[in-house]
C-alpha cells in the first residue's frame, strides 16, 4: 500500500482490514449457499408441473416478485451497511489513536473529548444497526407474506384441479410442499 493512499488515521487502516475479513466470511457462507439452491427451485417447480400441471405457474409467478423485493431492499440496505461500517472504522480508529497516544491524552486531560467522540460514533452505529434490522425485517415480512399468498392461491387452484379430476388430494399436498420448498429457497436468495 503506497503511503499516499493510506488513511490518515492508523486505526482506520486496521479497521478496514478487519472489515475485509467480514466480507470474505459473508461471501463464503450465505450468498453461495443461496445461489447453490437456485437449481433446486427450478427442479421443484418442474416436479410441480409434472404433478399438477399449470398449478406450477403460481410459484413461478411469485418467485420474481420475491426476488424483486430483495432487489428493492438491497440498495438502501447496502448504503446503510456501508455507513455503519464507515462509522465502525472511525470508532475503531479513534480507539487505536487514544490507546497509541494515551499518555498525551491523560497529560492534556482530554479524555472527555475522546469519550464524547466515542459515544457519538456508538450512537450512529446503533442507529444504522436499527435501520438495517427494520429494513431487513420488513423485507422478510413482505417475502413471507408473498410465500403465504402463493401457498393459499396454490391450494385454491389445486382444489379446482381436484374438482376437474386432473389432480388428486395427494398430488395437491405434494405440490404445496414442493412450492413451499421452492419459495423458501427463493426467499433466501
Amino acid at each position: 500500500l503506497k503511503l499516499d493512499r493510506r488513511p490518515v488515521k492508523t486505526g482506520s487502516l486496521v479497521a478496514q482490514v478487519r472489515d475485509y475479513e467480514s466480507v470474505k466470511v459473508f461471501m463464503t457462507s450465505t450468498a453461495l449457499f443461496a445461489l447453490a439452491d437456485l437449481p433446486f427451485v427450478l427442479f421443484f417447480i418442474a416436479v410441480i408441473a409434472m404433478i399438477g400441471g399449470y398449478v406450477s405457474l403460481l410459484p413461478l409467478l411469485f418467485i420474481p416478485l420475491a426476488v424483486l423485493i430483495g432487489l428493492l431492499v438491497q440498495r438502501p440496505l447496502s448504503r446503510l451497511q456501508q455507513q455503519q461500517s464507515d462509522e465502525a472504522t472511525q470508532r475503531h480508529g479513534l480507539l487505536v489513536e487514544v490507546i497509541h497516544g494515551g499518555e498525551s491524552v491523560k497529560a492534556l486531560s482530554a479524555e472527555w473529548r475522546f469519550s464524547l467522540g466515542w459515544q457519538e460514533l456508538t450512537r450512529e452505529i446503533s442507529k444504522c444497526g436499527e435501520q438495517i434490522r427494520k429494513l431487513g425485517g420488513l423485507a422478510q415480512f413482505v417475502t413471507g407474506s408473498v410465500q403465504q399468498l402463493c401457498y393459499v392461491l396454490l391450494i385454491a387452484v389445486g382444489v379446482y384441479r381436484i374438482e376437474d379430476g386432473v389432480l388428486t388430494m395427494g398430488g395437491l399436498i405434494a405440490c404445496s410442499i414442493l412450492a413451499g420448498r421452492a419459495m423458501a429457497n427463493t426467499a433466501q436468495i
Side-chain angles (χ1 to χ4, degrees):
L1 186 63
K2 294 182 180 179
L3 289 177
D4 63 336
R5 301 225 183 233
R6 285 181 37 185
V8 177
K9 299 180 180 184
T10 306
S12 296
L13 179 59
V14 173
Q16 285 175 355
V17 171
R18 184 197 66 223
D19 290 341
Y20 289 135
E21 181 67 24
S22 67
V23 169
K24 183 187 81 153
V25 168
F26 170 77
M27 291 304 290
T28 58
S29 61
T30 309
L32 294 180
F33 286 119
L35 289 176
D37 283 343
L38 186 59
F40 291 103
V41 170
L42 301 175
F43 175 72
F44 292 147
I45 292 175
V47 173
I48 293 169
M50 289 188 314
I51 297 170
Y54 67 82
V55 172
S56 65
L57 293 177
L58 289 167
L60 201 56
L61 292 173
F62 278 97
I63 287 172
L65 184 59
V67 171
L68 179 66
I69 293 165
L71 291 175
L72 289 174
V73 171
Q74 190 265 339
R75 182 166 281 152
L77 194 60
S78 177
R79 182 184 47 79
L80 285 169
Q81 288 173 333
Q82 181 62 46
Q83 181 181 351
Q84 185 181 37
S85 175
D86 291 347
E87 289 166 354
T89 299
Q90 289 176 5
R91 186 176 74 166
H92 185 75
L94 179 66
L95 177 64
V96 170
E97 289 170 9
V98 169
I99 290 171
H100 183 70
E103 291 177 13
S104 299
V105 171
K106 289 279 188 192
L108 296 172
S109 297
E111 295 98 342
W112 65 272
R113 185 169 187 219
F114 289 102
S115 178
L116 288 176
W118 179 268
Q119 290 171 5
E120 180 63 29
L121 287 170
T122 301
R123 267 192 296 277
E124 291 302 316
I125 290 169
S126 295
K127 285 179 188 176
C128 284
E130 183 179 336
Q131 290 174 342
I132 288 169
R133 285 188 297 277
K134 281 182 182 178
L135 196 55
L138 177 65
Q140 288 178 341
F141 173 76
V142 173
T143 303
S145 298
V146 165
Q147 284 178 292
Q148 292 302 317
L149 181 61
C150 177
Y151 182 76
V152 168
L153 289 176
L154 186 126
I155 297 296
V157 170
V159 167
Y160 288 111
R161 299 282 289 168
I162 290 172
E163 189 176 276
D164 293 341
V166 179
L167 187 64
T168 65
M169 181 65 85
L172 178 58
I173 292 170
C175 288
S176 66
I177 292 170
L178 290 170
R181 215 35 250 146
M183 291 301 291
N185 288 347
T186 304
Q188 285 181 341
I189 293 170

